[in-house]
PDB file of all heavy atoms in Angstrom:
ATOM      1  N   ALA G   1      14.017   6.970   1.718  1.00 97.00           N
ATOM      2  CA  ALA G   1      15.274   7.377   2.334  1.00 97.00           C
ATOM      3  C   ALA G   1      15.091   8.599   3.229  1.00 97.00           C
ATOM      4  O   ALA G   1      15.687   8.693   4.305  1.00 97.00           O
ATOM      5  CB  ALA G   1      16.307   7.664   1.246  1.00 97.00           C
ATOM      6  N   SER G   2      14.261   9.547   2.807  1.00 98.00           N
ATOM      7  CA  SER G   2      14.135  10.817   3.532  1.00 98.00           C
ATOM      8  C   SER G   2      13.175  10.752   4.709  1.00 98.00           C
ATOM      9  O   SER G   2      13.410  11.365   5.752  1.00 98.00           O
ATOM     10  CB  SER G   2      13.672  11.928   2.577  1.00 98.00           C
ATOM     11  OG  SER G   2      14.603  12.131   1.544  1.00 98.00           O
ATOM     12  N   MET G   3      12.065  10.006   4.551  1.00 97.00           N
ATOM     13  CA  MET G   3      11.035   9.991   5.600  1.00 97.00           C
ATOM     14  C   MET G   3      11.214   8.867   6.608  1.00 97.00           C
ATOM     15  O   MET G   3      10.560   8.855   7.650  1.00 97.00           O
ATOM     16  CB  MET G   3       9.644   9.918   4.972  1.00 97.00           C
ATOM     17  CG  MET G   3       9.277  11.154   4.169  1.00 97.00           C
ATOM     18  SD  MET G   3       7.504  11.321   3.843  1.00 97.00           S
ATOM     19  CE  MET G   3       6.885  11.818   5.463  1.00 97.00           C
ATOM     20  N   GLY G   4      12.076   7.911   6.297  1.00 96.00           N
ATOM     21  CA  GLY G   4      12.334   6.840   7.255  1.00 96.00           C
ATOM     22  C   GLY G   4      11.078   6.068   7.621  1.00 96.00           C
ATOM     23  O   GLY G   4      10.277   5.708   6.760  1.00 96.00           O
ATOM     24  N   GLU G   5      10.890   5.837   8.913  1.00 96.00           N
ATOM     25  CA  GLU G   5       9.769   5.018   9.387  1.00 96.00           C
ATOM     26  C   GLU G   5       8.419   5.704   9.207  1.00 96.00           C
ATOM     27  O   GLU G   5       7.378   5.085   9.440  1.00 96.00           O
ATOM     28  CB  GLU G   5       9.974   4.665  10.864  1.00 96.00           C
ATOM     29  CG  GLU G   5      11.174   3.777  11.140  1.00 96.00           C
ATOM     30  CD  GLU G   5      11.085   2.436  10.434  1.00 96.00           C
ATOM     31  OE1 GLU G   5       9.966   1.880  10.327  1.00 96.00           O
ATOM     32  OE2 GLU G   5      12.133   1.939   9.986  1.00 96.00           O
ATOM     33  N   LYS G   6       8.420   6.962   8.805  1.00 97.00           N
ATOM     34  CA  LYS G   6       7.147   7.663   8.604  1.00 97.00           C
ATOM     35  C   LYS G   6       6.494   7.322   7.272  1.00 97.00           C
ATOM     36  O   LYS G   6       5.400   7.817   6.980  1.00 97.00           O
ATOM     37  CB  LYS G   6       7.365   9.174   8.726  1.00 97.00           C
ATOM     38  CG  LYS G   6       7.725   9.588  10.149  1.00 97.00           C
ATOM     39  CD  LYS G   6       7.860  11.083  10.300  1.00 97.00           C
ATOM     40  CE  LYS G   6       8.158  11.438  11.762  1.00 97.00           C
ATOM     41  NZ  LYS G   6       8.277  12.901  11.957  1.00 97.00           N
ATOM     42  N   VAL G   7       7.141   6.508   6.456  1.00 98.00           N
ATOM     43  CA  VAL G   7       6.532   6.013   5.220  1.00 98.00           C
ATOM     44  C   VAL G   7       6.538   4.492   5.260  1.00 98.00           C
ATOM     45  O   VAL G   7       7.500   3.883   5.710  1.00 98.00           O
ATOM     46  CB  VAL G   7       7.259   6.552   3.966  1.00 98.00           C
ATOM     47  CG1 VAL G   7       8.715   6.141   3.948  1.00 98.00           C
ATOM     48  CG2 VAL G   7       6.581   6.101   2.696  1.00 98.00           C
ATOM     49  N   GLN G   8       5.420   3.894   4.836  1.00 97.00           N
ATOM     50  CA  GLN G   8       5.274   2.441   4.832  1.00 97.00           C
ATOM     51  C   GLN G   8       4.623   1.990   3.529  1.00 97.00           C
ATOM     52  O   GLN G   8       3.786   2.689   2.962  1.00 97.00           O
ATOM     53  CB  GLN G   8       4.391   1.982   6.001  1.00 97.00           C
ATOM     54  CG  GLN G   8       4.988   2.174   7.380  1.00 97.00           C
ATOM     55  CD  GLN G   8       5.997   1.102   7.729  1.00 97.00           C
ATOM     56  OE1 GLN G   8       5.733  -0.084   7.573  1.00 97.00           O
ATOM     57  NE2 GLN G   8       7.169   1.508   8.189  1.00 97.00           N
ATOM     58  N   MET G   9       5.030   0.809   3.066  1.00 98.00           N
ATOM     59  CA  MET G   9       4.351   0.168   1.942  1.00 98.00           C
ATOM     60  C   MET G   9       3.626  -1.061   2.460  1.00 98.00           C
ATOM     61  O   MET G   9       4.126  -1.750   3.354  1.00 98.00           O
ATOM     62  CB  MET G   9       5.354  -0.212   0.856  1.00 98.00           C
ATOM     63  CG  MET G   9       5.950   0.983   0.140  1.00 98.00           C
ATOM     64  SD  MET G   9       7.358   0.537  -0.908  1.00 98.00           S
ATOM     65  CE  MET G   9       8.542   0.039   0.344  1.00 98.00           C
ATOM     66  N   ARG G  10       2.456  -1.324   1.902  1.00 98.00           N
ATOM     67  CA  ARG G  10       1.659  -2.477   2.270  1.00 98.00           C
ATOM     68  C   ARG G  10       1.297  -3.234   0.998  1.00 98.00           C
ATOM     69  O   ARG G  10       0.834  -2.626   0.038  1.00 98.00           O
ATOM     70  CB  ARG G  10       0.384  -2.045   3.019  1.00 98.00           C
ATOM     71  CG  ARG G  10       0.649  -1.435   4.379  1.00 98.00           C
ATOM     72  CD  ARG G  10      -0.613  -0.848   5.005  1.00 98.00           C
ATOM     73  NE  ARG G  10      -0.444  -0.584   6.416  1.00 98.00           N
ATOM     74  CZ  ARG G  10       0.128   0.496   6.926  1.00 98.00           C
ATOM     75  NH1 ARG G  10       0.575   1.440   6.111  1.00 98.00           N
ATOM     76  NH2 ARG G  10       0.250   0.656   8.223  1.00 98.00           N
ATOM     77  N   VAL G  11       1.499  -4.541   1.023  1.00 98.00           N
ATOM     78  CA  VAL G  11       1.270  -5.359  -0.171  1.00 98.00           C
ATOM     79  C   VAL G  11       0.423  -6.566   0.194  1.00 98.00           C
ATOM     80  O   VAL G  11       0.682  -7.247   1.200  1.00 98.00           O
ATOM     81  CB  VAL G  11       2.604  -5.810  -0.808  1.00 98.00           C
ATOM     82  CG1 VAL G  11       2.356  -6.762  -1.977  1.00 98.00           C
ATOM     83  CG2 VAL G  11       3.420  -4.614  -1.274  1.00 98.00           C
ATOM     84  N   ALA G  12      -0.603  -6.830  -0.633  1.00 98.00           N
ATOM     85  CA  ALA G  12      -1.403  -8.059  -0.518  1.00 98.00           C
ATOM     86  C   ALA G  12      -0.995  -8.986  -1.645  1.00 98.00           C
ATOM     87  O   ALA G  12      -0.810  -8.547  -2.791  1.00 98.00           O
ATOM     88  CB  ALA G  12      -2.888  -7.727  -0.607  1.00 98.00           C
ATOM     89  N   ARG G  13      -0.864 -10.285  -1.318  1.00 98.00           N
ATOM     90  CA  ARG G  13      -0.443 -11.272  -2.311  1.00 98.00           C
ATOM     91  C   ARG G  13      -1.400 -12.460  -2.335  1.00 98.00           C
ATOM     92  O   ARG G  13      -1.970 -12.834  -1.305  1.00 98.00           O
ATOM     93  CB  ARG G  13       0.974 -11.775  -2.035  1.00 98.00           C
ATOM     94  CG  ARG G  13       2.056 -10.717  -2.078  1.00 98.00           C
ATOM     95  CD  ARG G  13       3.447 -11.338  -1.960  1.00 98.00           C
ATOM     96  NE  ARG G  13       4.496 -10.323  -2.007  1.00 98.00           N
ATOM     97  CZ  ARG G  13       5.016  -9.730  -0.955  1.00 98.00           C
ATOM     98  NH1 ARG G  13       4.561 -10.063   0.252  1.00 98.00           N
ATOM     99  NH2 ARG G  13       5.963  -8.830  -1.087  1.00 98.00           N
ATOM    100  N   LYS G  14      -1.521 -13.049  -3.507  1.00 98.00           N
ATOM    101  CA  LYS G  14      -2.257 -14.298  -3.683  1.00 98.00           C
ATOM    102  C   LYS G  14      -1.270 -15.331  -4.199  1.00 98.00           C
ATOM    103  O   LYS G  14      -0.680 -15.157  -5.271  1.00 98.00           O
ATOM    104  CB  LYS G  14      -3.407 -14.112  -4.678  1.00 98.00           C
ATOM    105  CG  LYS G  14      -4.119 -15.401  -5.072  1.00 98.00           C
ATOM    106  CD  LYS G  14      -4.821 -16.058  -3.893  1.00 98.00           C
ATOM    107  CE  LYS G  14      -5.602 -17.301  -4.374  1.00 98.00           C
ATOM    108  NZ  LYS G  14      -6.231 -18.018  -3.238  1.00 98.00           N
ATOM    109  N   ASP G  15      -1.068 -16.385  -3.398  1.00 97.00           N
ATOM    110  CA  ASP G  15      -0.104 -17.434  -3.757  1.00 97.00           C
ATOM    111  C   ASP G  15       1.258 -16.842  -4.084  1.00 97.00           C
ATOM    112  O   ASP G  15       1.942 -17.269  -5.031  1.00 97.00           O
ATOM    113  CB  ASP G  15      -0.612 -18.261  -4.939  1.00 97.00           C
ATOM    114  CG  ASP G  15      -1.932 -18.976  -4.646  1.00 97.00           C
ATOM    115  OD1 ASP G  15      -2.133 -19.360  -3.470  1.00 97.00           O
ATOM    116  OD2 ASP G  15      -2.746 -19.119  -5.568  1.00 97.00           O
ATOM    117  N   GLY G  16       1.653 -15.835  -3.325  1.00 96.00           N
ATOM    118  CA  GLY G  16       2.968 -15.229  -3.487  1.00 96.00           C
ATOM    119  C   GLY G  16       3.058 -14.113  -4.499  1.00 96.00           C
ATOM    120  O   GLY G  16       4.063 -13.398  -4.547  1.00 96.00           O
ATOM    121  N   SER G  17       2.027 -13.932  -5.321  1.00 97.00           N
ATOM    122  CA  SER G  17       2.057 -12.894  -6.348  1.00 97.00           C
ATOM    123  C   SER G  17       1.376 -11.625  -5.836  1.00 97.00           C
ATOM    124  O   SER G  17       0.237 -11.699  -5.348  1.00 97.00           O
ATOM    125  CB  SER G  17       1.349 -13.370  -7.616  1.00 97.00           C
ATOM    126  OG  SER G  17       2.016 -14.483  -8.170  1.00 97.00           O
ATOM    127  N   PRO G  18       2.034 -10.464  -5.957  1.00 98.00           N
ATOM    128  CA  PRO G  18       1.416  -9.217  -5.487  1.00 98.00           C
ATOM    129  C   PRO G  18       0.208  -8.840  -6.328  1.00 98.00           C
ATOM    130  O   PRO G  18       0.270  -8.863  -7.561  1.00 98.00           O
ATOM    131  CB  PRO G  18       2.535  -8.191  -5.648  1.00 98.00           C
ATOM    132  CG  PRO G  18       3.467  -8.766  -6.660  1.00 98.00           C
ATOM    133  CD  PRO G  18       3.377 -10.249  -6.504  1.00 98.00           C
ATOM    134  N   ILE G  19      -0.904  -8.502  -5.662  1.00 98.00           N
ATOM    135  CA  ILE G  19      -2.125  -8.136  -6.397  1.00 98.00           C
ATOM    136  C   ILE G  19      -2.627  -6.738  -6.037  1.00 98.00           C
ATOM    137  O   ILE G  19      -3.414  -6.159  -6.776  1.00 98.00           O
ATOM    138  CB  ILE G  19      -3.248  -9.166  -6.162  1.00 98.00           C
ATOM    139  CG1 ILE G  19      -3.694  -9.175  -4.695  1.00 98.00           C
ATOM    140  CG2 ILE G  19      -2.810 -10.564  -6.596  1.00 98.00           C
ATOM    141  CD1 ILE G  19      -4.977  -9.939  -4.456  1.00 98.00           C
ATOM    142  N   ALA G  20      -2.171  -6.183  -4.912  1.00 98.00           N
ATOM    143  CA  ALA G  20      -2.589  -4.845  -4.505  1.00 98.00           C
ATOM    144  C   ALA G  20      -1.534  -4.279  -3.571  1.00 98.00           C
ATOM    145  O   ALA G  20      -0.876  -5.027  -2.832  1.00 98.00           O
ATOM    146  CB  ALA G  20      -3.943  -4.865  -3.814  1.00 98.00           C
ATOM    147  N   ALA G  21      -1.350  -2.952  -3.625  1.00 98.00           N
ATOM    148  CA  ALA G  21      -0.335  -2.315  -2.779  1.00 98.00           C
ATOM    149  C   ALA G  21      -0.735  -0.876  -2.488  1.00 98.00           C
ATOM    150  O   ALA G  21      -1.518  -0.267  -3.222  1.00 98.00           O
ATOM    151  CB  ALA G  21       1.035  -2.364  -3.458  1.00 98.00           C
ATOM    152  N   MET G  22      -0.188  -0.335  -1.420  1.00 98.00           N
ATOM    153  CA  MET G  22      -0.398   1.074  -1.097  1.00 98.00           C
ATOM    154  C   MET G  22       0.826   1.625  -0.384  1.00 98.00           C
ATOM    155  O   MET G  22       1.628   0.864   0.188  1.00 98.00           O
ATOM    156  CB  MET G  22      -1.649   1.278  -0.238  1.00 98.00           C
ATOM    157  CG  MET G  22      -1.595   0.651   1.118  1.00 98.00           C
ATOM    158  SD  MET G  22      -3.004   1.150   2.196  1.00 98.00           S
ATOM    159  CE  MET G  22      -4.429   0.644   1.258  1.00 98.00           C
ATOM    160  N   LEU G  23       0.974   2.941  -0.449  1.00 98.00           N
ATOM    161  CA  LEU G  23       2.026   3.638   0.276  1.00 98.00           C
ATOM    162  C   LEU G  23       1.357   4.660   1.182  1.00 98.00           C
ATOM    163  O   LEU G  23       0.495   5.421   0.740  1.00 98.00           O
ATOM    164  CB  LEU G  23       2.996   4.311  -0.697  1.00 98.00           C
ATOM    165  CG  LEU G  23       4.198   5.027  -0.078  1.00 98.00           C
ATOM    166  CD1 LEU G  23       5.420   4.938  -1.000  1.00 98.00           C
ATOM    167  CD2 LEU G  23       3.909   6.499   0.227  1.00 98.00           C
ATOM    168  N   THR G  24       1.757   4.662   2.447  1.00 98.00           N
ATOM    169  CA  THR G  24       1.153   5.554   3.435  1.00 98.00           C
ATOM    170  C   THR G  24       2.222   6.387   4.130  1.00 98.00           C
ATOM    171  O   THR G  24       3.391   5.997   4.206  1.00 98.00           O
ATOM    172  CB  THR G  24       0.362   4.766   4.486  1.00 98.00           C
ATOM    173  OG1 THR G  24       1.256   3.860   5.170  1.00 98.00           O
ATOM    174  CG2 THR G  24      -0.767   3.976   3.846  1.00 98.00           C
ATOM    175  N   LEU G  25       1.793   7.525   4.649  1.00 98.00           N
ATOM    176  CA  LEU G  25       2.655   8.440   5.391  1.00 98.00           C
ATOM    177  C   LEU G  25       2.089   8.601   6.797  1.00 98.00           C
ATOM    178  O   LEU G  25       0.873   8.483   6.998  1.00 98.00           O
ATOM    179  CB  LEU G  25       2.708   9.807   4.709  1.00 98.00           C
ATOM    180  CG  LEU G  25       2.974   9.834   3.203  1.00 98.00           C
ATOM    181  CD1 LEU G  25       2.770  11.241   2.656  1.00 98.00           C
ATOM    182  CD2 LEU G  25       4.373   9.332   2.885  1.00 98.00           C
ATOM    183  N   HIS G  26       2.955   8.898   7.746  1.00 97.00           N
ATOM    184  CA  HIS G  26       2.503   9.041   9.136  1.00 97.00           C
ATOM    185  C   HIS G  26       3.022  10.349   9.707  1.00 97.00           C
ATOM    186  O   HIS G  26       4.186  10.700   9.539  1.00 97.00           O
ATOM    187  CB  HIS G  26       3.015   7.871   9.975  1.00 97.00           C
ATOM    188  CG  HIS G  26       2.576   7.922  11.408  1.00 97.00           C
ATOM    189  ND1 HIS G  26       3.366   8.440  12.409  1.00 97.00           N
ATOM    190  CD2 HIS G  26       1.425   7.547  12.014  1.00 97.00           C
ATOM    191  CE1 HIS G  26       2.729   8.367  13.564  1.00 97.00           C
ATOM    192  NE2 HIS G  26       1.561   7.841  13.357  1.00 97.00           N
ATOM    193  N   HIS G  27       2.119  11.075  10.373  1.00 97.00           N
ATOM    194  CA  HIS G  27       2.515  12.290  11.087  1.00 97.00           C
ATOM    195  C   HIS G  27       1.613  12.442  12.292  1.00 97.00           C
ATOM    196  O   HIS G  27       0.377  12.502  12.165  1.00 97.00           O
ATOM    197  CB  HIS G  27       2.381  13.525  10.202  1.00 97.00           C
ATOM    198  CG  HIS G  27       2.564  14.807  10.969  1.00 97.00           C
ATOM    199  ND1 HIS G  27       3.815  15.323  11.257  1.00 97.00           N
ATOM    200  CD2 HIS G  27       1.659  15.650  11.538  1.00 97.00           C
ATOM    201  CE1 HIS G  27       3.658  16.445  11.952  1.00 97.00           C
ATOM    202  NE2 HIS G  27       2.380  16.664  12.145  1.00 97.00           N
ATOM    203  N   GLY G  28       2.203  12.525  13.473  1.00 95.00           N
ATOM    204  CA  GLY G  28       1.426  12.727  14.690  1.00 95.00           C
ATOM    205  C   GLY G  28       0.353  11.674  14.852  1.00 95.00           C
ATOM    206  O   GLY G  28       0.625  10.469  14.864  1.00 95.00           O
ATOM    207  N   SER G  29      -0.898  12.103  14.948  1.00 96.00           N
ATOM    208  CA  SER G  29      -2.014  11.174  15.159  1.00 96.00           C
ATOM    209  C   SER G  29      -2.733  10.830  13.854  1.00 96.00           C
ATOM    210  O   SER G  29      -3.824  10.273  13.884  1.00 96.00           O
ATOM    211  CB  SER G  29      -3.023  11.791  16.138  1.00 96.00           C
ATOM    212  OG  SER G  29      -3.551  12.996  15.596  1.00 96.00           O
ATOM    213  N   SER G  30      -2.116  11.165  12.721  1.00 98.00           N
ATOM    214  CA  SER G  30      -2.764  10.942  11.427  1.00 98.00           C
ATOM    215  C   SER G  30      -1.929  10.026  10.540  1.00 98.00           C
ATOM    216  O   SER G  30      -0.702  10.141  10.488  1.00 98.00           O
ATOM    217  CB  SER G  30      -2.992  12.282  10.721  1.00 98.00           C
ATOM    218  OG  SER G  30      -3.602  12.099   9.465  1.00 98.00           O
ATOM    219  N   VAL G  31      -2.608   9.126   9.828  1.00 98.00           N
ATOM    220  CA  VAL G  31      -1.981   8.285   8.809  1.00 98.00           C
ATOM    221  C   VAL G  31      -2.586   8.667   7.466  1.00 98.00           C
ATOM    222  O   VAL G  31      -3.808   8.769   7.337  1.00 98.00           O
ATOM    223  CB  VAL G  31      -2.191   6.788   9.087  1.00 98.00           C
ATOM    224  CG1 VAL G  31      -1.562   5.943   7.982  1.00 98.00           C
ATOM    225  CG2 VAL G  31      -1.596   6.404  10.440  1.00 98.00           C
ATOM    226  N   VAL G  32      -1.733   8.916   6.483  1.00 98.00           N
ATOM    227  CA  VAL G  32      -2.177   9.387   5.175  1.00 98.00           C
ATOM    228  C   VAL G  32      -2.055   8.273   4.145  1.00 98.00           C
ATOM    229  O   VAL G  32      -0.961   7.731   3.942  1.00 98.00           O
ATOM    230  CB  VAL G  32      -1.343  10.594   4.704  1.00 98.00           C
ATOM    231  CG1 VAL G  32      -1.813  11.077   3.330  1.00 98.00           C
ATOM    232  CG2 VAL G  32      -1.401  11.724   5.720  1.00 98.00           C
ATOM    233  N   TYR G  33      -3.182   7.925   3.517  1.00 98.00           N
ATOM    234  CA  TYR G  33      -3.144   7.038   2.363  1.00 98.00           C
ATOM    235  C   TYR G  33      -2.790   7.902   1.156  1.00 98.00           C
ATOM    236  O   TYR G  33      -3.560   8.757   0.757  1.00 98.00           O
ATOM    237  CB  TYR G  33      -4.511   6.368   2.169  1.00 98.00           C
ATOM    238  CG  TYR G  33      -4.714   5.779   0.786  1.00 98.00           C
ATOM    239  CD1 TYR G  33      -4.014   4.650   0.392  1.00 98.00           C
ATOM    240  CD2 TYR G  33      -5.606   6.358  -0.120  1.00 98.00           C
ATOM    241  CE1 TYR G  33      -4.199   4.114  -0.887  1.00 98.00           C
ATOM    242  CE2 TYR G  33      -5.790   5.834  -1.377  1.00 98.00           C
ATOM    243  CZ  TYR G  33      -5.083   4.716  -1.757  1.00 98.00           C
ATOM    244  OH  TYR G  33      -5.260   4.187  -3.015  1.00 98.00           O
ATOM    245  N   LYS G  34      -1.600   7.681   0.579  1.00 98.00           N
ATOM    246  CA  LYS G  34      -1.128   8.562  -0.490  1.00 98.00           C
ATOM    247  C   LYS G  34      -1.209   7.908  -1.875  1.00 98.00           C
ATOM    248  O   LYS G  34      -1.670   8.530  -2.832  1.00 98.00           O
ATOM    249  CB  LYS G  34       0.305   9.008  -0.193  1.00 98.00           C
ATOM    250  CG  LYS G  34       0.895   9.945  -1.252  1.00 98.00           C
ATOM    251  CD  LYS G  34       0.006  11.171  -1.490  1.00 98.00           C
ATOM    252  CE  LYS G  34       0.576  12.092  -2.565  1.00 98.00           C
ATOM    253  NZ  LYS G  34      -0.408  13.071  -3.052  1.00 98.00           N
ATOM    254  N   TYR G  35      -0.741   6.664  -1.994  1.00 97.00           N
ATOM    255  CA  TYR G  35      -0.744   5.990  -3.296  1.00 97.00           C
ATOM    256  C   TYR G  35      -1.307   4.577  -3.147  1.00 97.00           C
ATOM    257  O   TYR G  35      -0.974   3.866  -2.187  1.00 97.00           O
ATOM    258  CB  TYR G  35       0.676   5.878  -3.866  1.00 97.00           C
ATOM    259  CG  TYR G  35       1.349   7.203  -4.111  1.00 97.00           C
ATOM    260  CD1 TYR G  35       2.353   7.667  -3.254  1.00 97.00           C
ATOM    261  CD2 TYR G  35       1.006   8.009  -5.198  1.00 97.00           C
ATOM    262  CE1 TYR G  35       2.981   8.890  -3.475  1.00 97.00           C
ATOM    263  CE2 TYR G  35       1.618   9.226  -5.421  1.00 97.00           C
ATOM    264  CZ  TYR G  35       2.609   9.659  -4.556  1.00 97.00           C
ATOM    265  OH  TYR G  35       3.227  10.868  -4.775  1.00 97.00           O
ATOM    266  N   GLY G  36      -2.149   4.180  -4.093  1.00 97.00           N
ATOM    267  CA  GLY G  36      -2.681   2.828  -4.124  1.00 97.00           C
ATOM    268  C   GLY G  36      -2.638   2.290  -5.540  1.00 97.00           C
ATOM    269  O   GLY G  36      -2.768   3.050  -6.509  1.00 97.00           O
ATOM    270  N   CYS G  37      -2.447   0.990  -5.682  1.00 97.00           N
ATOM    271  CA  CYS G  37      -2.356   0.388  -7.009  1.00 97.00           C
ATOM    272  C   CYS G  37      -2.719  -1.092  -6.913  1.00 97.00           C
ATOM    273  O   CYS G  37      -2.650  -1.695  -5.840  1.00 97.00           O
ATOM    274  CB  CYS G  37      -0.958   0.560  -7.588  1.00 97.00           C
ATOM    275  SG  CYS G  37       0.398   0.233  -6.429  1.00 97.00           S
ATOM    276  N   SER G  38      -3.120  -1.668  -8.051  1.00 97.00           N
ATOM    277  CA  SER G  38      -3.594  -3.049  -8.024  1.00 97.00           C
ATOM    278  C   SER G  38      -3.575  -3.663  -9.415  1.00 97.00           C
ATOM    279  O   SER G  38      -3.464  -2.959 -10.424  1.00 97.00           O
ATOM    280  CB  SER G  38      -5.024  -3.103  -7.463  1.00 97.00           C
ATOM    281  OG  SER G  38      -5.887  -2.326  -8.281  1.00 97.00           O
ATOM    282  N   ASP G  39      -3.703  -4.980  -9.430  1.00 97.00           N
ATOM    283  CA  ASP G  39      -3.820  -5.746 -10.678  1.00 97.00           C
ATOM    284  C   ASP G  39      -5.310  -5.935 -10.957  1.00 97.00           C
ATOM    285  O   ASP G  39      -6.003  -6.644 -10.226  1.00 97.00           O
ATOM    286  CB  ASP G  39      -3.117  -7.094 -10.515  1.00 97.00           C
ATOM    287  CG  ASP G  39      -3.136  -7.937 -11.783  1.00 97.00           C
ATOM    288  OD1 ASP G  39      -3.947  -7.645 -12.687  1.00 97.00           O
ATOM    289  OD2 ASP G  39      -2.351  -8.891 -11.862  1.00 97.00           O
ATOM    290  N   GLU G  40      -5.800  -5.284 -11.986  1.00 95.00           N
ATOM    291  CA  GLU G  40      -7.233  -5.288 -12.286  1.00 95.00           C
ATOM    292  C   GLU G  40      -7.782  -6.684 -12.546  1.00 95.00           C
ATOM    293  O   GLU G  40      -8.954  -6.970 -12.247  1.00 95.00           O
ATOM    294  CB  GLU G  40      -7.507  -4.398 -13.496  1.00 95.00           C
ATOM    295  CG  GLU G  40      -8.991  -4.204 -13.805  1.00 95.00           C
ATOM    296  CD  GLU G  40      -9.210  -3.305 -15.009  1.00 95.00           C
ATOM    297  OE1 GLU G  40      -8.359  -3.319 -15.925  1.00 95.00           O
ATOM    298  OE2 GLU G  40     -10.220  -2.573 -15.028  1.00 95.00           O
ATOM    299  N   SER G  41      -6.947  -7.581 -13.046  1.00 96.00           N
ATOM    300  CA  SER G  41      -7.421  -8.923 -13.410  1.00 96.00           C
ATOM    301  C   SER G  41      -7.842  -9.749 -12.194  1.00 96.00           C
ATOM    302  O   SER G  41      -8.556 -10.746 -12.342  1.00 96.00           O
ATOM    303  CB  SER G  41      -6.338  -9.677 -14.192  1.00 96.00           C
ATOM    304  OG  SER G  41      -5.212  -9.980 -13.366  1.00 96.00           O
ATOM    305  N   VAL G  42      -7.411  -9.320 -11.003  1.00 96.00           N
ATOM    306  CA  VAL G  42      -7.767 -10.084  -9.790  1.00 96.00           C
ATOM    307  C   VAL G  42      -8.503  -9.195  -8.772  1.00 96.00           C
ATOM    308  O   VAL G  42      -8.453  -9.453  -7.569  1.00 96.00           O
ATOM    309  CB  VAL G  42      -6.520 -10.746  -9.150  1.00 96.00           C
ATOM    310  CG1 VAL G  42      -6.064 -11.937  -9.967  1.00 96.00           C
ATOM    311  CG2 VAL G  42      -5.375  -9.742  -8.994  1.00 96.00           C
ATOM    312  N   HIS G  43      -9.185  -8.162  -9.255  1.00 95.00           N
ATOM    313  CA  HIS G  43      -9.955  -7.306  -8.350  1.00 95.00           C
ATOM    314  C   HIS G  43     -11.013  -8.091  -7.585  1.00 95.00           C
ATOM    315  O   HIS G  43     -11.401  -7.706  -6.475  1.00 95.00           O
ATOM    316  CB  HIS G  43     -10.613  -6.161  -9.129  1.00 95.00           C
ATOM    317  CG  HIS G  43      -9.697  -4.995  -9.341  1.00 95.00           C
ATOM    318  ND1 HIS G  43     -10.072  -3.850 -10.001  1.00 95.00           N
ATOM    319  CD2 HIS G  43      -8.396  -4.788  -8.966  1.00 95.00           C
ATOM    320  CE1 HIS G  43      -9.059  -2.995 -10.038  1.00 95.00           C
ATOM    321  NE2 HIS G  43      -8.038  -3.534  -9.423  1.00 95.00           N
ATOM    322  N   HIS G  44     -11.490  -9.180  -8.187  1.00 95.00           N
ATOM    323  CA  HIS G  44     -12.543  -9.966  -7.536  1.00 95.00           C
ATOM    324  C   HIS G  44     -12.070 -10.605  -6.233  1.00 95.00           C
ATOM    325  O   HIS G  44     -12.892 -11.058  -5.422  1.00 95.00           O
ATOM    326  CB  HIS G  44     -13.055 -11.063  -8.490  1.00 95.00           C
ATOM    327  CG  HIS G  44     -12.012 -12.079  -8.855  1.00 95.00           C
ATOM    328  ND1 HIS G  44     -11.042 -11.844  -9.807  1.00 95.00           N
ATOM    329  CD2 HIS G  44     -11.794 -13.340  -8.388  1.00 95.00           C
ATOM    330  CE1 HIS G  44     -10.272 -12.914  -9.927  1.00 95.00           C
ATOM    331  NE2 HIS G  44     -10.703 -13.823  -9.072  1.00 95.00           N
ATOM    332  N   LEU G  45     -10.740 -10.629  -6.000  1.00 97.00           N
ATOM    333  CA  LEU G  45     -10.211 -11.218  -4.765  1.00 97.00           C
ATOM    334  C   LEU G  45     -10.269 -10.241  -3.590  1.00 97.00           C
ATOM    335  O   LEU G  45     -10.011 -10.622  -2.452  1.00 97.00           O
ATOM    336  CB  LEU G  45      -8.764 -11.683  -4.976  1.00 97.00           C
ATOM    337  CG  LEU G  45      -8.548 -12.783  -6.019  1.00 97.00           C
ATOM    338  CD1 LEU G  45      -7.054 -13.100  -6.152  1.00 97.00           C
ATOM    339  CD2 LEU G  45      -9.326 -14.043  -5.647  1.00 97.00           C
ATOM    340  N   GLY G  46     -10.600  -8.983  -3.854  1.00 96.00           N
ATOM    341  CA  GLY G  46     -10.759  -8.011  -2.766  1.00 96.00           C
ATOM    342  C   GLY G  46      -9.464  -7.504  -2.170  1.00 96.00           C
ATOM    343  O   GLY G  46      -9.431  -7.144  -0.984  1.00 96.00           O
TER     344      GLY G  46
END
């Protein structure tokens, strides 16, 4: 709500199920990887 378009979430899915995600921040010419998370049972999918 506060950062608007300067924050983005990215999600990877296998057959519709989320298996990995991250949250990033943007300022000027820099993009910040802030939070990442995943389902360990499908790490082999990359």
Side-chain angles (χ1 to χ4, degrees):
S2 299
M3 294 197 74
E5 295 300 323
K6 292 184 177 181
V7 60
Q8 292 281 311
M9 291 169 293
R10 293 172 165 82
V11 175
R13 299 187 180 92
K14 172 64 176 176
D15 299 327
S17 297
I19 65 168
M22 64 171 58
L23 183 147
T24 60
L25 312 171
H26 181 264
H27 171 82
S29 61
S30 179
V31 178
V32 180
Y33 162 70
K34 180 55 181 165
Y35 299 105
C37 44
S38 60
D39 182 343
E40 186 180 32
S41 68
V42 286
H43 276 181
H44 64 281
L45 297 178

